[in-house]
Amino acid sequence: MALEVNGKLIMLLSPQSGMGKNGAWNKQEFVIETNEQYPKKICISAWGDKGTQVAQIPVGTSVKVSVNIESREFNSKWYTDVRMWAIQVENSGIDPVYPDTQYADSMPMGTPAPAPQAPMPDSAPAIEFADSSDDLPF
């Protein structure tokens, strides 16, 4: 079964490797959080070179992951594997590693980058408007 899952990469788990009857193997598991009204967290495994590809994506990046879902039975118990076969970084327009350089390509050489803005505190006071007949916030 092939599916596509959109979400944000929220965690890279420790890479795993070992020797099997077919030779050496390596696996990188990662967790994405879906973009839904009620977000779900999904642990996905990437085998071989795909694991190296995933490890280079910064945590917090929006991605589209193509996966296969497969279940198998062992000793009367069922195990489900969500295995990635392709991953694509979603184009958000902002470089997730260097968010302050998003406009650097459009500036002339030698122009300093704009200063980063401080984030708003979570406990900012609510703004109340004197005239409530106008529903516009400005």
Side-chain angles (χ1 to χ4, degrees):
M1 172 186 294
L3 298 171
E4 286 187 346
V5 181
N6 294 320
K8 181 170 44 170
L9 179 67
I10 61 169
M11 185 183 305
L12 284 171
L13 303 178
S14 299
Q16 301 172 11
S17 61
M19 287 295 288
K21 65 181 178 181
N22 296 330
W25 58 268
N26 60 336
K27 174 173 80 165
Q28 173 70 59
E29 292 182 315
F30 60 100
V31 180
I32 66 167
E33 186 174 61
T34 61
N35 304 328
E36 300 175 354
Q37 181 179 0
Y38 301 105
K40 307 283 189 273
K41 292 180 176 81
I42 304 169
C43 181
I44 301 171
S45 59
W47 291 82
D49 293 338
K50 304 281 188 213
T52 306
Q53 182 182 5
V54 170
Q56 295 174 356
I57 300 173
V59 172
T61 303
S62 294
V63 294
K64 178 169 42 171
V65 185
S66 299
V67 298
N68 287 329
I69 301 176
E70 183 180 355
S71 295
R72 62 192 176 287
E73 187 252 339
F74 180 73
N75 289 337
S76 300
K77 291 188 179 184
W78 285 88
Y79 299 90
T80 301
D81 188 28
V82 181
R83 188 177 292 197
M84 178 198 95
W85 57 272
I87 189 165
Q88 182 179 21
V89 174
E90 294 290 298
N91 187 7
S92 63
I94 298 174
D95 185 356
V97 181
Y98 307 104
D100 296 332
T101 62
Q102 62 182 332
Y103 302 109
D105 295 338
S106 63
M107 289 189 235
M109 292 295 288
T111 304
Q117 295 181 353
M120 293 292 294
D122 292 337
S123 60
I127 298 173
E128 294 188 28
F129 297 98
D131 182 32
S132 63
S133 64
D134 185 2
D135 61 347
L136 294 176
F138 47 88

